[in-house]
Structures are given as C-alpha cells and as structure tokens.
Amino acid sequence: MSYVVDFTDVSTVGLESSPVADALAGLRANEARYFKNKYDHVFTVESADKAASTIEWIHTILEKERGIVIASPPLEATAFQVENIKMAYVFYESGLSINVMYAVDDGGKRAVGFKLSEGMEVPEELSKFKFARQKSKLAGTIRGSYFVIKNEY
C-alpha cells in the first residue's frame, strides 16, 4: 500500500519498527515538504516489499560505486522524476535515508545522498564519510553526506 507523506501532520506510518521512528518520520516529512514546495510533487512511499526494484537500483549503485552494503533493513522506498531528474529514496529501520539524484540528460548531476535521523549512530558501512549538520523544524538535527556517481545506471 502506498502512503502519501503529510508534512503538516507528521506520522510514523510504515516506520513504527524503527527505534528512531519519530525522527525518521520527521526526516521523511522534510523531504516531502521540499519536493512539494520546489516541484509541486506529492511525495508518496511504498513498503519495501512493493518497492523492491527501487531498493535494488539504489543498492546496486552503492555496491558498484563504493562497495557499500547497508546492514539495516529497508522499510519504505519511492522513485519518481521531477523535470529531468530521476529521484529515488529508501528509508531504513535504523533511521537512515538514502537518496539517488540521477539526471536523465548526459553530463547532468548524479549523486547518492545519505541522511541520518536524529538519535541514530553513523552506521559502520558509512563511517568513512564526513557528515554535515542541518537543522529542520520537522526532523530536528539532520546529518548528511553524499558522493558523486561516476558510472551509468
């Protein structure tokens, strides 16, 4: 079942098994607000079992680009296109959110972004990254990092 993320009334629907469910819900709502305000896109997620192809695409990029395998189970994911950018997100039980920004046009920006929910530790598989902090009214303190994608996917 898909779920339209509401950023005015933040809900933990689909994220209840996370030890940082409230913070992860705030992080998810923060992303929903961004896409609504910037692109007028309604951010809708599906359970991990329904979004297996999106999760596989992101996991393939992580593995091939940096040898990263995420230990935490995925809870939800989404994939959509805004303008000429394909976007994909996975939200994990640990409180981690991973997104892929993949420009459709050759030579466009392509990157993987990591965001850590408030209250979670940096996962071992991401310990080599430096995380910058940003404040969010919906998510508290978000720690984020990224890397540029070099190959075609």
Side-chain angles (χ1 to χ4, degrees), residues 92-149:
Y92 295 87
E93 190 172 65
S94 64
L96 173 66
S97 168
I98 297 179
N99 71 75
V100 171
M101 176 188 79
Y102 197 88
V104 176
D105 302 331
D106 288 339
K109 292 181 182 179
R110 296 175 176 168
V112 174
F114 306 106
K115 290 186 180 173
L116 309 177
S117 295
E118 192 166 50
M120 75 170 284
E121 296 297 320
V122 176
E124 176 62 33
E125 60 271 27
L126 302 179
S127 63
K128 293 181 179 164
F129 290 90
K130 293 197 184 311
F131 287 86
R133 295 180 187 275
Q134 73 180 63
K135 286 284 199 186
S136 163
K137 287 182 182 177
L138 293 170
T141 300
I142 300 169
R143 290 164 292 157
S145 192
Y146 75 98
F147 69 83
V148 174
I149 297 171

Side-chain angles (χ1 to χ4, degrees), residues 7 10 14 20 24 32 40 47 49 53 56 64 72 74 85 94 96-97 102 105 121 133-135 140 143 149 152:
F7 54 86
V10 179
V20 291
L24 183 57
D40 198 29
S47 62
D49 59 328
S53 62
E56 179 64 28
K64 291 191 175 195
S72 180
I85 304 167
S94 64
L96 173 66
S97 168
Y102 197 88
D105 302 331
E121 296 297 320
R133 295 180 187 275
Q134 73 180 63
K135 286 284 199 186
R143 290 164 292 157
I149 297 171
E152 302 274 327

Side-chain angles (χ1 to χ4, degrees), residues 18-101:
S18 173
V20 291
D22 289 337
L24 183 57
L27 178 58
R28 181 178 67 179
N30 187 65
E31 300 302 319
R33 180 179 59 195
Y34 172 81
F35 283 100
K36 181 65 177 167
N37 291 342
K38 182 155 177 96
Y39 299 104
D40 198 29
H41 172 77
V42 177
F43 199 87
T44 305
V45 294
E46 295 180 306
S47 62
D49 59 328
K50 299 268 194 265
S53 62
T54 297
I55 295 166
E56 179 64 28
W57 186 63
I58 289 178
H59 287 178
T60 297
I61 293 170
L62 292 171
E63 176 81 37
K64 291 191 175 195
E65 291 283 324
R66 296 289 178 101
I68 296 170
V69 175
I70 302 300
S72 180
L75 298 176
E76 294 181 332
T78 186
F80 55 91
Q81 187 167 325
V82 288
E83 297 176 359
N84 71 334
I85 304 167
K86 181 178 178 182
M87 296 295 306
Y89 278 81
V90 180
F91 297 93
Y92 295 87
E93 190 172 65
S94 64
L96 173 66
S97 168
I98 297 179
N99 71 75
V100 171
M101 176 188 79

